[in-house]
Amino acid sequence: MYQFWRKSGFVIAGGTIQGLGMGLFLFPHSIPSGGAGGISVLLNHFLLINMGLALWIVNFSMLMLAMKYLGNRSVIWTMVAITVTSLSIGFFQHIIPTPIGNVWIDVVVGSVFLGTGIGLLLREGVSNGGVGVIALIIAKYRHVYPGKPLFWMNGFIFILTASIISWEIIIQALLSQWISTKMVDAIYSINFHSVYTLSWRKK
């Protein structure tokens, strides 16, 4: 029971923090938060699908891969993470005023939040949806941190999206991915159990 509530806390925290970075800092500048965001932009461009619906389609289309390679339990947790993230984006965008600030500052701050949220999810074996599923599969079977494959896959999608939509966002998007994937690896490598145990013993 303890493990369930512990994992629930990390998944909810990860989804919320990820949604904070997207909703308050990246999306107001139309900067895609990842490969799923880039694919969603393309779906919106070619098929005129609403961005929110397009993002949902991309995220849930990856669940079949997660079910095959990561197990049914991972799919359920991924659904929870995607739902929490979507609700958080809606909350932060529509409840909290989001005046557009300096794009470079927002890219850095938003990417730190984004990477922290994704890192919390991936270290619990939970994908944040989209190509994060593929990154988690690669990390599991090749025994590497998921940040690098996530960066290269997202980078390819960004270049494809920028070549079709606009080249103006490519630098911000790639910078965002570099910062967020560094945060992913940093969070992924932290041993929270040891940190908690050390803090508890000091008390």
Side-chain angles (χ1 to χ4, degrees):
M1 184 61 68
Y2 165 76
Q3 291 296 329
F4 171 80
W5 288 112
R6 174 187 174 279
K7 185 163 188 169
S8 297
F10 277 117
V11 170
I12 292 173
T16 302
I17 294 171
Q18 180 181 216
L20 172 65
M22 293 179 182
L24 285 187
F25 300 99
L26 299 179
F27 284 178
H29 296 286
S30 299
I31 299 173
S33 59
I39 297 174
S40 300
V41 170
L42 293 176
L43 289 176
N44 174 261
H45 178 75
F46 288 112
L47 303 178
L48 303 179
I49 300 176
N50 175 271
M51 277 293 293
L53 177 60
L55 186 62
W56 185 88
I57 291 172
V58 174
N59 280 328
F60 278 89
S61 67
M62 291 291 178
L63 291 181
M64 293 305 295
L65 278 177
M67 184 179 297
K68 180 177 181 179
Y69 292 100
L70 303 176
N72 294 339
R73 181 171 297 180
S74 178
V75 172
I76 295 174
W77 283 111
T78 298
M79 292 176 65
V80 173
I82 292 172
T83 301
V84 171
T85 299
S86 298
L87 292 174
S88 297
I89 291 173
F91 173 80
F92 291 121
Q93 283 190 326
H94 298 293
I95 303 300
I96 299 178
T98 57
I100 296 180
N102 181 277
V103 61
W104 297 105
I105 295 177
D106 284 355
V107 165
V108 172
V109 176
S111 300
V112 169
F113 280 117
L114 176 66
T116 300
I118 295 175
L120 288 174
L121 295 175
L122 293 182
R123 66 167 288 110
E124 292 298 317
V126 177
S127 168
N128 64 311
V131 296
V133 171
I134 302 176
L136 193 57
I137 292 171
I138 293 174
K140 178 179 179 180
Y141 287 96
R142 295 185 64 89
H143 305 290
V144 297
Y145 290 149
K148 182 177 287 187
L150 188 64
F151 174 79
W152 287 111
M153 286 186 293
N154 285 339
F156 172 78
I157 294 172
F158 288 155
I159 292 174
L160 176 63
T161 303
S163 67
I164 296 174
I165 307 298
S166 171
W167 284 103
E168 295 179 0
I169 65 169
I170 189 65
I171 297 178
Q172 287 95 343
L174 288 176
L175 175 62
S176 174
Q177 280 304 293
W178 184 80
I179 295 173
S180 62
T181 50
K182 288 297 182 182
M183 289 300 302
V184 167
D185 284 345
I187 298 297
Y188 197 82
S189 63
I190 294 175
N191 188 333
F192 284 105
H193 177 72
S194 296
V195 173
Y196 171 79
T197 302
L198 181 62
S199 300
W200 181 82
R201 286 177 177 176
K202 286 183 178 180
K203 292 180 182 181

